[in-house]
Amino acid sequence: MLMIQIKSTLRSVLRCDFLRREDGVIAIEALVVLPLLFWTYLSMFSIFDAFRMNSINQKAAFTIGDAISRETVPIDNQYLEGVRDLFEYLARAKDKSSIRVSSLWYDAVADEYKADWSQKLGSIEPLTNTDVKNWHQLLPVMPDKERLILVETWSDYDPPFKTGLEERQIRNFVFTRPRYAPRVCWETCN
């Protein structure tokens, strides 16, 4: 009986019946497709999360810029630390982020931008007149002696899943015109 079964199996293998059989195909297809489908889902989730975090960081930077633009008294380092704490709370930043706040004005005679002051918290340097003088492509067209507040933020983004999207730094560049005073001063207004 065993010999008959072995002969039958051997004949079906030799006639390639094994290749024509269709039972078990779904299990093999699932074994191939499910990991790819799972990876695709995690990748889409990571990409969506990256765009979401970028949007949250940008909204937080605009909020900070708007809050500073409404100040009528000089701001100081303690105010700047509070602003960074607020940014980290709004942006859901895990590590210490960097922030640079600058007061810039436009000189129409020289056709260049100049810095009243620039202050930072974190691993970046304050802006100088040399840095901003030719920022015509980055800053808006302004009338002579008009001022604006420039808020720049940097925060690290770590994707929730390792699917090919690497860690990166989210940077924001936001400018706002002072609202209730002609300029926002640092520590004292001269």
Side-chain angles (χ1 to χ4, degrees):
M1 177 83 166
L2 183 62
M3 196 61 154
I4 296 173
Q5 191 175 10
I6 293 174
K7 283 182 183 179
S8 171
T9 307
L10 194 56
R11 267 193 219 122
S12 68
V13 169
L14 291 176
R15 285 184 303 184
C16 297
D17 285 347
F18 177 75
L19 296 176
R20 290 187 204 118
R21 292 177 52 187
E22 294 183 6
D23 54 331
V25 172
I26 292 177
I28 294 172
E29 286 177 359
L31 189 64
V32 171
V33 171
L34 281 179
L36 183 63
L37 189 65
F38 189 64
W39 177 84
T40 304
Y41 176 75
L42 292 180
S43 295
M44 288 189 315
F45 183 83
S46 293
I47 291 169
F48 175 79
D49 187 62
F51 279 110
R52 183 181 66 86
M53 286 306 292
N54 193 26
S55 174
I56 288 172
N57 272 269
Q58 189 174 33
K59 289 174 188 174
F62 272 108
T63 301
I64 299 306
D66 190 53
I68 293 173
S69 74
R70 294 172 189 271
E71 290 298 325
T72 56
V73 296
I75 63 175
D76 57 7
N77 202 39
Q78 187 177 4
Y79 184 90
L80 195 60
E81 287 174 5
V83 160
R84 182 174 69 175
D85 291 343
L86 177 62
F87 173 78
E88 287 177 351
Y89 173 73
L90 292 174
R92 301 175 188 152
K94 295 177 183 169
D95 299 314
K96 284 290 183 189
S97 57
S98 298
I99 187 168
R100 178 169 55 199
V101 178
S102 307
S103 176
L104 307 177
W105 62 282
Y106 180 67
D107 183 3
V109 175
D111 189 29
E112 61 186 28
Y113 294 94
K114 296 186 179 181
D116 281 330
W117 54 267
S118 181
Q119 298 295 322
K120 57 94 177 181
L121 285 176
S123 61
I124 37 134
E125 293 301 316
L127 290 174
T128 63
N129 285 336
T130 308
D131 295 332
V132 301
K133 99 174 159 181
N134 291 320
W135 279 12
H136 294 87
Q137 299 297 323
L138 298 174
L139 297 173
V141 175
M142 296 168 43
D144 190 30
K145 308 269 189 292
E146 183 72 23
R147 287 179 163 78
L148 59 78
I149 302 299
L150 175 65
V151 176
E152 297 170 277
T153 61
W154 292 264
S155 66
D156 294 330
Y157 173 70
D158 186 23
F161 303 106
K162 305 295 183 207
T163 58
L165 188 66
E166 70 272 355
E167 294 178 14
R168 62 186 60 222
Q169 194 173 55
I170 298 174
R171 180 174 187 253
N172 290 296
F173 185 92
V174 174
F175 47 84
T176 310
R177 187 171 174 264
R179 305 273 189 218
Y180 302 127
R183 65 186 259 200
V184 176
C185 299
W186 180 259
E187 293 182 344
T188 60
C189 278
N190 297 329

